[in-house]
Amino acid sequence: MNKALLGMVGLGLMATVGCSSGRDVEVTGNVSAASTAAVDGDILLSFYEIDTEDDAARIHIDDQTLTALGDFTQTISVEGSKVVIVAINDRDGDGACSTGEAWGEVQAEVKDDDTIEPVSIVLSDAPCPSTQE
């Protein structure tokens, strides 16, 4: 019985590891704000992959919340070569850019060695983008 259980666990682990064609990529950077932006509270970072077949489509990967402006590090699983990081001063906590919330975004390339150069995102009081995904 123990061997059967171990075999099932082993197969489950192999399926989990073997199914993902993505690679782990560490994203590091800094979130700051323009002098005209009113920033207060948490900063929501949303990580997206650019769809390899539709360069305009974004695939949500992960989120991270910062308690203030500053540096961040996040490891994400990426299949393609481009990612977008969106930062929002999510004052209302709805997980999206709302009117009056400062936001910014940056696109980054995944290099052949599975690394991304450190990014810098500057929040501004610009109107929210029409789509988040």
Side-chain angles (χ1 to χ4, degrees):
M1 180 162 163
N2 285 339
K3 288 182 183 179
L5 180 60
L6 286 174
M8 289 183 353
V9 169
L11 285 174
L13 286 174
M14 284 176 40
T16 301
V17 172
C19 287
S20 175
S21 60
R23 63 209 184 275
D24 287 342
V25 176
E26 185 176 75
V27 182
T28 60
N30 179 274
V31 180
S32 61
S35 61
T36 57
V39 176
D40 182 37
D42 290 345
I43 309 298
L44 173 66
L45 294 176
S46 295
F47 299 86
Y48 299 89
E49 180 170 2
I50 300 294
D51 189 325
T52 55
E53 294 180 21
D54 179 3
D55 209 31
R58 296 178 179 185
I59 302 165
H60 184 257
I61 300 172
D62 202 1
D63 292 319
Q64 177 184 19
T65 301
L66 304 177
T67 57
L69 297 171
D71 296 332
F72 69 89
T73 300
Q74 181 78 358
T75 300
I76 57 175
S77 180
V78 179
E79 292 182 24
S81 62
K82 296 178 187 174
V83 297
V84 174
I85 303 103
V86 179
I88 303 168
N89 181 209
D90 192 19
R91 292 182 189 169
D92 62 10
D94 70 351
C97 186
S98 302
T99 302
E101 294 177 337
W103 73 280
E105 75 176 36
V106 66
Q107 181 172 315
E109 296 280 332
V110 180
K111 298 191 288 185
D112 290 339
D113 64 354
D114 296 339
T115 62
I116 294 177
E117 292 291 326
V119 299
S120 179
I121 306 170
V122 179
L123 304 183
S124 70
D125 286 329
C128 293
S130 59
T131 60
Q132 291 292 312
E133 290 189 55

mmCIF file of all heavy atoms in Angstrom, residues 2-22:
data_model
loop_
_atom_site.group_PDB
_atom_site.id
_atom_site.type_symbol
_atom_site.label_atom_id
_atom_site.label_comp_id
_atom_site.label_asym_id
_atom_site.label_seq_id
_atom_site.Cartn_x
_atom_site.Cartn_y
_atom_site.Cartn_z
ATOM 1 N N ASN A 2 1.936 1.262 0.794
ATOM 2 C CA ASN A 2 2.818 2.420 0.833
ATOM 3 C C ASN A 2 3.485 2.652 -0.513
ATOM 4 O O ASN A 2 3.657 3.784 -0.935
ATOM 5 C CB ASN A 2 3.882 2.256 1.917
ATOM 6 C CG ASN A 2 3.310 2.464 3.304
ATOM 7 O OD1 ASN A 2 2.264 3.087 3.445
ATOM 8 N ND2 ASN A 2 3.979 1.949 4.307
ATOM 9 N N LYS A 3 3.863 1.537 -1.205
ATOM 10 C CA LYS A 3 4.496 1.678 -2.521
ATOM 11 C C LYS A 3 3.505 2.260 -3.527
ATOM 12 O O LYS A 3 3.868 3.072 -4.366
ATOM 13 C CB LYS A 3 5.022 0.326 -3.002
ATOM 14 C CG LYS A 3 6.249 -0.132 -2.247
ATOM 15 C CD LYS A 3 6.748 -1.444 -2.801
ATOM 16 C CE LYS A 3 7.943 -1.928 -1.991
ATOM 17 N NZ LYS A 3 8.438 -3.202 -2.493
ATOM 18 N N ALA A 4 2.264 1.841 -3.452
ATOM 19 C CA ALA A 4 1.245 2.363 -4.372
ATOM 20 C C ALA A 4 1.032 3.854 -4.139
ATOM 21 O O ALA A 4 0.923 4.634 -5.083
ATOM 22 C CB ALA A 4 -0.063 1.604 -4.193
ATOM 23 N N LEU A 5 0.985 4.259 -2.873
ATOM 24 C CA LEU A 5 0.804 5.669 -2.545
ATOM 25 C C LEU A 5 1.990 6.487 -3.028
ATOM 26 O O LEU A 5 1.821 7.547 -3.625
ATOM 27 C CB LEU A 5 0.606 5.841 -1.029
ATOM 28 C CG LEU A 5 0.396 7.273 -0.544
ATOM 29 C CD1 LEU A 5 -0.841 7.877 -1.200
ATOM 30 C CD2 LEU A 5 0.247 7.292 0.955
ATOM 31 N N LEU A 6 3.199 5.999 -2.795
ATOM 32 C CA LEU A 6 4.392 6.703 -3.251
ATOM 33 C C LEU A 6 4.406 6.811 -4.775
ATOM 34 O O LEU A 6 4.788 7.832 -5.338
ATOM 35 C CB LEU A 6 5.663 6.004 -2.759
ATOM 36 C CG LEU A 6 5.986 6.179 -1.277
ATOM 37 C CD1 LEU A 6 7.185 5.327 -0.895
ATOM 38 C CD2 LEU A 6 6.256 7.631 -0.958
ATOM 39 N N GLY A 7 3.978 5.760 -5.459
ATOM 40 C CA GLY A 7 3.934 5.785 -6.919
ATOM 41 C C GLY A 7 2.969 6.834 -7.428
ATOM 42 O O GLY A 7 3.249 7.554 -8.383
ATOM 43 N N MET A 8 1.800 6.938 -6.780
ATOM 44 C CA MET A 8 0.813 7.931 -7.197
ATOM 45 C C MET A 8 1.328 9.347 -6.944
ATOM 46 O O MET A 8 1.167 10.236 -7.771
ATOM 47 C CB MET A 8 -0.512 7.702 -6.468
ATOM 48 C CG MET A 8 -1.218 6.454 -6.957
ATOM 49 S SD MET A 8 -2.841 6.060 -6.268
ATOM 50 C CE MET A 8 -3.148 7.192 -4.992
ATOM 51 N N VAL A 9 1.992 9.553 -5.822
ATOM 52 C CA VAL A 9 2.564 10.866 -5.513
ATOM 53 C C VAL A 9 3.642 11.206 -6.526
ATOM 54 O O VAL A 9 3.710 12.312 -7.055
ATOM 55 C CB VAL A 9 3.120 10.906 -4.068
ATOM 56 C CG1 VAL A 9 3.938 12.166 -3.845
ATOM 57 C CG2 VAL A 9 1.981 10.822 -3.070
ATOM 58 N N GLY A 10 4.485 10.226 -6.855
ATOM 59 C CA GLY A 10 5.554 10.441 -7.834
ATOM 60 C C GLY A 10 4.999 10.801 -9.199
ATOM 61 O O GLY A 10 5.483 11.714 -9.865
ATOM 62 N N LEU A 11 3.958 10.089 -9.642
ATOM 63 C CA LEU A 11 3.345 10.405 -10.931
ATOM 64 C C LEU A 11 2.730 11.796 -10.915
ATOM 65 O O LEU A 11 2.826 12.541 -11.889
ATOM 66 C CB LEU A 11 2.275 9.363 -11.279
ATOM 67 C CG LEU A 11 2.788 8.004 -11.741
ATOM 68 C CD1 LEU A 11 1.626 7.034 -11.918
ATOM 69 C CD2 LEU A 11 3.572 8.138 -13.022
ATOM 70 N N GLY A 12 2.112 12.167 -9.822
ATOM 71 C CA GLY A 12 1.529 13.503 -9.699
ATOM 72 C C GLY A 12 2.592 14.583 -9.790
ATOM 73 O O GLY A 12 2.410 15.597 -10.459
ATOM 74 N N LEU A 13 3.721 14.366 -9.140
ATOM 75 C CA LEU A 13 4.806 15.343 -9.193
ATOM 76 C C LEU A 13 5.379 15.442 -10.602
ATOM 77 O O LEU A 13 5.670 16.525 -11.094
ATOM 78 C CB LEU A 13 5.915 14.973 -8.204
ATOM 79 C CG LEU A 13 5.601 15.227 -6.738
ATOM 80 C CD1 LEU A 13 6.714 14.677 -5.848
ATOM 81 C CD2 LEU A 13 5.394 16.705 -6.476
ATOM 82 N N MET A 14 5.543 14.309 -11.276
ATOM 83 C CA MET A 14 6.074 14.319 -12.633
ATOM 84 C C MET A 14 5.115 15.058 -13.563
ATOM 85 O O MET A 14 5.535 15.829 -14.422
ATOM 86 C CB MET A 14 6.296 12.894 -13.137
ATOM 87 C CG MET A 14 7.527 12.255 -12.535
ATOM 88 S SD MET A 14 7.787 10.535 -12.994
ATOM 89 C CE MET A 14 7.361 10.466 -14.687
ATOM 90 N N ALA A 15 3.830 14.864 -13.401
ATOM 91 C CA ALA A 15 2.848 15.538 -14.241
ATOM 92 C C ALA A 15 2.877 17.037 -14.002
ATOM 93 O O ALA A 15 2.811 17.833 -14.931
ATOM 94 C CB ALA A 15 1.451 14.981 -13.980
ATOM 95 N N THR A 16 3.007 17.434 -12.745
ATOM 96 C CA THR A 16 3.048 18.853 -12.413
ATOM 97 C C THR A 16 4.288 19.507 -12.999
ATOM 98 O O THR A 16 4.225 20.566 -13.594
ATOM 99 C CB THR A 16 3.040 19.051 -10.878
ATOM 100 O OG1 THR A 16 1.860 18.457 -10.369
ATOM 101 C CG2 THR A 16 3.087 20.512 -10.511
ATOM 102 N N VAL A 17 5.434 18.872 -12.839
ATOM 103 C CA VAL A 17 6.685 19.436 -13.322
ATOM 104 C C VAL A 17 6.753 19.357 -14.836
ATOM 105 O O VAL A 17 7.171 20.288 -15.505
ATOM 106 C CB VAL A 17 7.893 18.707 -12.677
ATOM 107 C CG1 VAL A 17 9.189 19.144 -13.297
ATOM 108 C CG2 VAL A 17 7.907 18.959 -11.180
ATOM 109 N N GLY A 18 6.313 18.252 -15.405
ATOM 110 C CA GLY A 18 6.465 18.029 -16.830
ATOM 111 C C GLY A 18 5.491 18.803 -17.703
ATOM 112 O O GLY A 18 5.731 18.978 -18.883
ATOM 113 N N CYS A 19 4.387 19.297 -17.178
ATOM 114 C CA CYS A 19 3.359 19.929 -18.003
ATOM 115 C C CYS A 19 3.680 21.380 -18.354
ATOM 116 O O CYS A 19 3.154 21.913 -19.302
ATOM 117 C CB CYS A 19 2.010 19.878 -17.296
ATOM 118 S SG CYS A 19 1.312 18.228 -17.284
ATOM 119 N N SER A 20 4.486 22.028 -17.592
ATOM 120 C CA SER A 20 4.755 23.434 -17.829
ATOM 121 C C SER A 20 5.914 23.611 -18.796
ATOM 122 O O SER A 20 6.989 23.076 -18.592
ATOM 123 C CB SER A 20 5.096 24.140 -16.511
ATOM 124 O OG SER A 20 5.477 25.469 -16.775
ATOM 125 N N SER A 21 5.683 24.366 -19.873
ATOM 126 C CA SER A 21 6.767 24.643 -20.792
ATOM 127 C C SER A 21 7.392 25.994 -20.462
ATOM 128 O O SER A 21 8.296 26.436 -21.146
ATOM 129 C CB SER A 21 6.264 24.615 -22.234
ATOM 130 O OG SER A 21 5.261 25.590 -22.418
ATOM 131 N N GLY A 22 6.890 26.657 -19.423
ATOM 132 C CA GLY A 22 7.438 27.928 -19.004
ATOM 133 C C GLY A 22 8.741 27.748 -18.260
ATOM 134 O O GLY A 22 9.112 26.657 -17.849
#
